[in-house]
Amino acid sequence: MDKKTINLRDDIAETIGITASNIIPHIEYGLLESTKEDGYIRQLIEYDSYGDKVTAFLLLPEILDKNPAILINHQHNREHHLGKSEVCGLAGNPLQAFGPVLAKKGFVVLAPDSICFEERRRDAHGIESVSEDADFWQHYNEMCYRIIKGESLMKKVLVDAMNGITLLSNLTYVDNRRIGTLGHSMGGNTVLFLSALDERITFSCASGSACTYENRIKNNVGIEMASIIPDFHSKYDIYDLVSCIAPRRLLIVSAEDDKYSKDASYIVDKAGSAYLELDAIQNLSHKRYPGGHGLTKERFDFIIEWLNSNTSII
């Protein structure tokens, strides 16, 4: 990695408020329940993240021996009652259920609830659907309370995710050279920020999320709450995050009519220079589809195939 990329990563981390001390060296978790599924075991676990209890599913393949591992960040979709359960195929959209498919292919999968989703809501638990209005205001307040203290929701999202990466890296049966992260929409936003700042991640896939702040503002497109980071866009944009991921493997999936990945090609072109400088342009992939924001079976299958093939050759 060149000095320019290191400096850019350090500057972005400082703007968000992430420091080396935010990476805890060891994360212990409690096992709440375990369920045998066809081809894998699904464990419901709980672990601490700076005083917050994070509930997650840990999917374990039948054979555990230096397995690749992946942190899957769930989408938003205005459904705060769906988080880890949608990723694991227990509720919601089957085309978000990457967890079971990857577990059957040998991946150790960690699927946590993001703050304000599913079990991490104050007024409801599990996949119980209550007032989306109440869920929205809790999420909104989590952002506002941090901003008035000089922090951001993104910092919270990232330290939670970094603790998830630590948990995976602590598992004796995980190959630490093959730890990755995946997400669609809000989950894809998390992937881009997390992969830029956490070098333990060796492969990433961000779907339906590569759109510059500049393009969103120009076209009156909403910005996910965690991405509202004071003073960020005055200095950086999404292509800077992608540049920080170089030379590691990254797949960006976008669609022609998806306003949330509208200028993904521009982002890839801008960040390509960082990959070229490190002689790693082959590690930056972009797959663009016709259609809108929602995942299709074709996109789902391509993401699974890319993850499977790229982890086998790292």
Side-chain angles (χ1 to χ4, degrees), residues 122-133:
R122 291 198 181 119
D123 302 321
H125 298 285
I127 59 174
E128 174 191 4
S129 180
V130 291
S131 168
E132 177 56 28
D133 188 59

Side-chain angles (χ1 to χ4, degrees), residues 209-276:
S209 54
C211 184
T212 60
Y213 284 93
E214 182 178 1
N215 187 279
R216 288 174 184 262
I217 294 168
K218 178 181 177 181
N219 292 290
N220 196 32
V221 174
I223 298 175
E224 195 272 314
M225 290 182 193
S227 295
I228 300 172
I229 307 165
D231 203 29
F232 188 87
H233 183 48
S234 67
K235 295 175 283 189
Y236 316 109
D237 214 316
I238 302 303
Y239 46 77
D240 292 306
L241 298 175
V242 177
S243 295
C244 289
I245 298 171
R248 292 166 289 152
R249 299 181 187 277
L250 171 65
L251 169 64
I252 289 178
V253 176
S254 68
E256 294 170 1
D257 298 321
D258 178 12
K259 62 184 179 181
Y260 300 116
S261 62
K262 193 69 175 177
D263 60 348
S265 298
Y266 171 71
I267 291 170
V268 172
D269 288 344
K270 286 278 288 184
S273 59
Y275 276 83
L276 282 169

Side-chain angles (χ1 to χ4, degrees), residues 95 287 289-290 295-303:
L95 292 178
K287 186 71 171 178
Y289 289 91
L295 280 173
T296 62
K297 183 67 164 54
E298 183 182 14
R299 295 182 217 177
F300 182 96
D301 290 344
F302 182 85
I303 290 169

Side-chain angles (χ1 to χ4, degrees), residues 271-283:
S273 59
Y275 276 83
L276 282 169
E277 288 176 13
L278 296 170
D279 195 26
I281 192 63
Q282 72 278 2
N283 290 344

